Every structure is written in C-alpha cells, then in structure tokens.
Amino acid sequence: MFGLFRKDPSKKLRKQYDVKLEQAMHAQRNGDIKTYSMLTAEAEALWAEIMALESKKQN
C-alpha cells in the first residue's frame, strides 16, 4: 500500500538508456565511430543496472 507513491528507479534508467542509444545511433550515422562505441558501452552499463534492479525486484 505504501509503495503506491514510490517511484520506480528502473523507469528513469530505461529513459536514460533510450537516450544513450539514440545518441549512439546519431553518432554512427554521422560517422563518429569512437563516440558511437563509447555511448553504446554506457548504454550497456545502464542496461546491466536495469537488469539488476529487475531481478532484485522479482526476488
């Protein structure tokens, strides 16, 4: 009942993840492969955090 007003931290991380992937896509299209790989690595780190939160929430 008291968790009704608690914000979901994975929702914020998913939004950041989507932004990073979109930035990476634009960097790749512009031919900036170094920035693309850096942004993709950051997105993968965010995804790992999301999965950790999801598995913690399920248990």
Side-chain angles (χ1 to χ4, degrees):
M1 179 175 155
F2 294 109
L4 177 66
F5 299 110
R6 189 177 308 161
K7 293 198 177 202
D8 187 17
S10 66
K11 187 174 183 181
K12 182 179 178 183
L13 287 175
R14 283 185 185 271
K15 194 174 278 191
Q16 290 176 348
Y17 174 74
D18 291 338
V19 168
K20 287 288 181 190
L21 283 182
E22 187 172 350
Q23 289 173 346
M25 178 193 66
H26 289 297
Q28 184 182 30
R29 286 185 178 174
N30 290 333
D32 191 1
I33 302 303
K34 184 176 182 180
T35 304
Y36 165 73
S37 61
M38 182 182 67
L39 289 170
T40 303
E42 290 175 11
E44 287 178 3
L46 284 172
W47 186 253
E49 286 183 50
I50 292 168
M51 289 295 110
L53 285 173
E54 296 284 323
S55 66
K56 184 179 177 183
K57 188 188 312 183
Q58 288 178 357
N59 291 336

